[in-house]
Every structure is written in structure tokens, then in C-alpha cells.
């Protein structure tokens, strides 16, 4: 009995210590106004994590003060509705705690469990104006969403950005006070070369990676780490090495290093020609597609690029099933859509996907691409 009581007392001490340490941390990280605002929230809301505090090794809650009309202060809070399972942005009067505006992020959500969650009120472009920004998740992937306050109402800024990123990192790469948006897709388990953007005049402007040597170096370091990891793995080692080289091909193309691109693609094709198994033939096909992309980059010649793609499609399917001209053309449009997606020319990409589906409504790859790029449901 005494032993059980002793264990109970010790457990209670730990619980009390944990509770008070959490309370002390909350008081340390947040000013009085923020604490009062959070206390006024309804019980079914949970405040999402905000900026990290490097000194305390903890994260603040995603609540921010911002001044609007006639210097009237308000609070912007990123919230999770426990019952609905949905995430919201709320705008409150900082004096009365009255809710002015509510914006649901659905069908997106915030990944609040990871260290890369991003819910901020921040000056993205160094112009002195604050943006309400969140990296949101969907069934397709990640996307940056930006909101502004218009007459005490939260409104979203439409951005020219695809939906299928695996990783998005806002970071000031060259320390000029402007935040670069570094976004990466993932293919066959490997992060692809970073796509870089600036937010300017309520638009995302695509940047050239060569302008940011630190981003280039970081990705080169990542590729080297992946290569080191592959060398210790068995079974799929050769395929993984080829996938790494295909990722490097795209990287070289983004840097306009055409001589290195040509050297690597010749080496890759030489290795792939030795094996006629389907996984190798698929990767040989991908080298042809990247060759077509290079034609677009160097010559902007769609006609020649489409010829290369059509030839690659016929070669890929020669040993399996015969494709009709409509099916081949639909797949050509699919690959052209992939190129324009890579260039972030999303209107052109979407048009090519629509044409691919018009030619062949059963083109499953085009349906999947349409849904992942643009988060739309295709019902052909």
C-alpha cells in the first residue's frame, strides 16, 4: 500500500512539473494580448504551431499582431477545428476579441506535426507590407497559399503554382531581405532540383537557379548524400543509381549546362541499352523525354520536341502493345504538359493535358497529372 502511494505521488509530481513547465513556456513565448486572445477561443479550436524560438528550442503558437485600417490592431490566428478536422485562418479585433473574418483552408490542411510547418504573417518580398502565408497540404502535395486583408476580410491571392510539391522552404538565400520560395517535387523517392520563386506584386515570379549559388550547392550536396546511401544498398542499387542520374539530368538542364547534360545522357543510354527489362526501358524513355525538353530549352522548337517524344513512345511500346495514332498523340501532349509544368507555365500545361484527354479519355496518366498539378477531379 505504501509503495503504491509512493509511486502515485511521484507520478503526480511529474505531471505537475510537466503542466507548469508548459505553462511557463507559454507565458515566456507569448505576450499578454496573445495569451488573452487564445484564452477566449472556443474549446473546439487548437492554435497551430507558428515560428520556432531558437533560444528556448520551442515553437510559438501561430498568432500574430497586425495593424489594419487607421492603425487598428488585430490578431491573425491559424487554427485547427478539432470536431471538423479542418484548418482555418481567423482575423480578430485585438481590443474586443470580436471575430472579423474566417477563412477555411479546406481542401487543404496544415501538417502541424513536422518541423517544416509554416503558418506566418511575414514580409515575403521586403516591401514593408505583411503577407499571411501558409504552406498547405492536399492530396496532391504541398502548395504555398497567401492571403491579404481587404476591408477587414481575409481574401486569398491567386498564385501561379502547381499543387504537387513534396517540399517547400521559404528562405532568404542571398540575404537581401527578400524571401525566396524553394519548392521541390519528388520522383522515385528522390527530391528534384529546386524551383525558386519570388513573391512580387501579388504574383509568384519564377527565378533561375544559377542566380542562387547557395541553392545549387545545397542540391549538389543532397545528390551526393543520396549517392552515398545507394552504395550501401542491395537489390535495386542499379535502378536507384540510374534514377539519381536522371534527377541530375534535369538539374543540369535547369542550370543550362548543356555540355554536361549531353555527356551524362550518352553515358546513361549506353548503360541502359544493355538491359531490355521494362524498368530499364522506362528509364531509357525518360532520357528521350529530357532530350526533347533540351530541344525546347535551346531551340524552342515544339515540332521537333514532339517528334522526339512520339518516337520514344513508339519505341517504348514496340515490345508490348501497338498504340493508335490518337493514343500516341495523347501521350505526346502528356509529356509536353510535363515540360510546361517544369517551366511553371501552368496555363500551357493545363491546355496540353486537356488536349491529351480529349484525344484519349482513357489516358490515366493525363488524368492523374491533371489532378496532381491542379487539384481538380477529372471525370472523363
Amino acid at each position: 500500500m505504501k509503495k503504491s502511494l509512493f509511486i502515485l505521488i511521484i507520478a503526480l509530481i511529474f505531471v505537475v512539473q510537466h503542466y507548469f513547465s508548459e505553462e511557463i513556456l507559454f507565458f515566456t513565448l507569448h505576450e499578454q494580448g496573445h495569451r488573452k486572445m487564445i484564452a477566449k477561443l472556443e474549446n473546439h479550436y487548437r492554435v497551430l504551431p507558428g515560428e520556432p524560438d531558437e533560444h528556448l528550442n520551442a515553437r510559438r503558437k501561430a498568432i500574430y499582431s497586425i495593424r489594419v485600417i487607421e492603425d487598428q490592431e488585430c490578431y491573425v490566428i491559424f487554427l485547427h477545428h478539432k470536431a471538423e478536422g479542418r484548418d482555418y485562418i481567423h482575423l480578430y479585433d485585438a481590443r474586443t476579441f470580436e471575430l472579423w473574418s474566417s477563412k477555411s483552408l479546406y481542401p487543404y490542411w496544415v501538417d502541424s506535426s513536422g518541423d517544416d510547418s509554416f503558418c506566418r504573417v511575414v514580409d515575403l518580398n521586403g516591401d514593408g507590407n505583411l503577407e499571411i502565408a501558409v504552406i498547405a497540404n492536399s492530396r496532391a502535395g504541398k502548395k504555398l497559399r497567401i492571403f491579404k486583408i481587404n476591408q477587414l476580410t481575409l481574401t486569398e491571392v491567386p498564385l501561379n503554382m502547381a499543387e504537387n510539391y513534396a517540399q517547400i522552404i521559404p528562405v532568404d538565400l542571398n540575404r537581401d531581405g527578400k524571401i525566396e520560395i524553394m519548392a521541390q517535387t519528388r520522383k522515385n523517392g528522390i527530391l528534384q532540383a529546386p524551383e525558386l520563386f519570388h513573391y512580387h506584386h501579388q504574383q509568384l515570379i519564377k527565378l533561375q537557379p544559377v542566380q542562387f549559388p547557395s541553392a545549387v550547392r545545397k542540391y549538389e550536396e543532397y545528390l551526393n548524400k543520396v549517392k552515398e546511401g545507394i552504395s550501401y544498398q542491395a537489390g535495386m542499387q542499379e535502378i536507384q543509381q540510374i534514377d539519381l542520374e536522371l534527377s541530375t539530368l534535369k538539374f543540369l538542364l535547369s542550370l543550362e549546362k548543356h555540355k554536361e547534360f549531353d555527356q551524362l545522357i550518352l553515358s546513361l543510354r549506353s548503360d541502359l541499352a544493355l538491359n531490355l527489362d521494362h524498368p530499364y526501358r522506362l528509364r531509357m524513355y525518360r532520357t528521350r523525354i529530357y532530350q526533347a525538353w533540351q530541344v525546347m530549352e535551346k531551340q524552342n522548337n515544339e515540332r521537333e520536341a514532339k517528334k522526339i517524344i512520339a518516337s520514344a513512345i513508339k519505341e517504348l511500346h514496340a515490345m508490348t502493345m501497338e498504340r493508335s495514332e490518337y493514343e500516341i498523340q495523347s501521350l505526346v501532349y502528356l509529356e509536353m504538359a510535363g515540360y510546361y509544368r517544369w517551366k511553371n507555365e501552368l496555363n500551357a500545361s493545363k491546355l496540353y493535358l486537356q488536349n491529351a484527354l480529349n484525344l484519349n479519355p482513357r489516358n490515366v496518366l493525363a488524368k492523374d497529372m491533371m489532378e496532381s498539378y491542379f487539384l481538380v477531379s477529372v471525370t472523363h
Side-chain angles (χ1 to χ4, degrees):
M1 180 66 180
K2 289 182 179 180
K3 186 177 179 181
S4 300
L5 184 60
F6 176 75
I7 293 172
L8 180 61
I9 291 170
I10 295 297
L12 285 172
I13 289 172
F14 276 110
V15 169
V16 170
Q17 283 181 334
H18 176 75
Y19 174 78
F20 278 106
S21 64
E22 290 288 320
E23 286 293 304
I24 291 169
L25 192 61
F26 177 67
F27 271 77
T28 305
L29 290 173
H30 302 92
E31 61 182 64
Q32 185 180 24
H34 289 180
R35 297 198 302 268
K36 286 184 177 180
M37 180 69 252
I38 292 171
K40 291 285 185 179
L41 294 172
E42 297 175 18
N43 290 333
H44 52 253
Y45 283 120
R46 171 173 58 84
V47 184
L48 293 168
E51 297 178 66
D53 187 294
E54 296 176 0
H55 301 292
L56 294 174
N57 193 28
R59 299 194 74 151
R60 298 182 180 91
K61 294 184 182 295
I63 176 170
Y64 300 89
S65 300
I66 188 170
R67 294 194 176 274
V68 287
I69 300 171
E70 297 178 353
D71 286 337
Q72 188 168 3
E73 188 178 24
C74 64
Y75 294 139
V76 174
I77 313 182
F78 297 83
L79 298 165
H80 176 74
H81 194 294
K82 300 174 188 175
E84 295 178 359
R86 296 183 179 183
D87 296 330
Y88 289 84
I89 303 174
H90 281 187
L91 182 68
Y92 291 93
D93 185 325
R95 184 173 54 84
T96 65
F97 306 126
E98 177 189 356
L99 177 62
W100 282 341
S101 181
S102 175
K103 194 74 176 178
S104 171
L105 296 181
Y106 184 81
Y108 301 85
W109 67 90
V110 176
D111 182 8
S112 58
S113 60
D115 293 334
D116 59 346
S117 65
F118 188 88
C119 303
R120 308 282 173 85
V121 175
V122 61
D123 183 0
L124 288 172
N125 52 11
D127 65 354
N129 296 317
L130 295 173
E131 283 78 41
I132 301 168
V134 58
I135 295 175
N137 294 263
S138 71
R139 66 175 188 272
K142 295 179 184 290
K143 179 181 180 178
L144 177 69
R145 298 181 70 187
I146 295 176
F147 299 84
K148 61 181 181 179
I149 300 172
N150 185 13
Q151 295 183 345
L152 302 183
T153 301
L154 291 164
T155 57
E156 185 167 6
V157 179
L159 297 178
N160 189 44
M161 190 178 201
E163 309 273 351
N164 65 324
Y165 291 104
Q167 177 174 283
I168 300 176
I169 302 174
V171 58
D172 186 355
L173 290 168
N174 53 2
R175 300 184 180 180
D176 63 350
K178 299 178 182 178
I179 294 177
E180 283 75 46
I181 309 301
M182 188 166 66
Q184 293 173 272
T185 57
R186 195 187 302 273
K187 190 172 181 65
N188 294 332
I190 300 172
L191 285 172
Q192 302 299 286
E195 300 172 44
L196 302 176
F197 303 89
H198 265 162
Y199 180 69
H200 184 66
H201 292 313
Q202 298 187 20
Q203 291 184 342
L204 279 184
I205 309 299
K206 184 83 180 281
L207 306 171
Q208 295 300 318
V210 291
Q211 298 173 301
F212 299 90
S214 62
V216 173
R217 285 195 303 272
K218 187 173 181 179
Y219 188 64
E220 287 172 341
E221 290 169 2
Y222 166 78
L223 291 177
N224 287 331
K225 285 183 180 178
V226 173
K227 186 176 182 179
E228 290 170 5
I230 288 172
S231 63
Y232 294 103
Q233 295 178 15
M236 294 293 289
Q237 178 180 342
E238 188 176 9
I239 287 292
Q240 290 170 343
Q241 180 63 41
I242 292 168
D243 287 338
L244 180 64
E245 291 177 350
L246 286 170
S247 299
T248 305
L249 268 183
K250 266 177 75 176
F251 181 43
L252 292 172
L253 202 54
S254 70
L255 297 176
E256 300 180 3
K257 292 187 175 182
H258 296 293
K259 185 177 179 180
E260 292 93 329
F261 177 93
D262 292 338
Q263 291 171 345
L264 181 56
I265 205 168
L266 283 174
S267 173
L268 253 176
R269 285 179 177 170
S270 176
D271 293 339
L272 288 167
L274 300 174
N275 197 319
L276 295 179
D277 290 346
H278 190 62
Y280 293 86
R281 290 172 51 238
L282 277 175
R283 285 155 177 82
M284 177 69 87
Y285 168 79
R286 187 50 51 190
T287 66
R288 301 283 301 277
I289 299 307
Y290 290 161
Q291 181 189 4
W293 287 19
Q294 187 189 41
V295 168
M296 290 296 297
E297 289 296 284
K298 294 176 71 174
Q299 305 170 24
N300 194 28
N301 189 334
E302 279 201 3
R303 185 176 180 181
E304 182 62 26
K306 289 175 181 176
K307 280 184 181 179
I308 294 171
I309 295 170
S311 173
I313 292 168
K314 291 174 183 177
E315 184 180 303
L316 177 64
H317 295 285
M319 297 176 63
T320 53
M321 59 182 293
E322 187 175 343
R323 296 278 181 175
S324 70
E325 285 302 316
Y326 286 115
E327 289 174 318
I328 292 171
Q329 193 61 39
S330 177
L331 291 170
V332 169
Y333 286 163
L334 168 78
E335 296 295 354
M336 289 301 297
Y339 168 75
Y340 282 112
R341 156 64 188 86
W342 177 65
K343 298 292 289 183
N344 204 50
E345 297 179 24
L346 299 186
N347 288 335
S349 179
K350 193 170 188 177
L351 181 61
Y352 264 114
L353 286 174
Q354 288 169 339
N355 289 337
L357 288 167
N358 288 338
L359 278 174
N360 180 15
R362 294 180 297 177
N363 189 334
V364 177
L365 293 174
K367 290 180 182 180
D368 290 345
M369 193 179 285
M370 181 73 87
E371 292 183 6
S372 67
Y373 287 3
F374 305 106
L375 200 63
V376 296
S377 179
V378 182
T379 56
H380 285 269

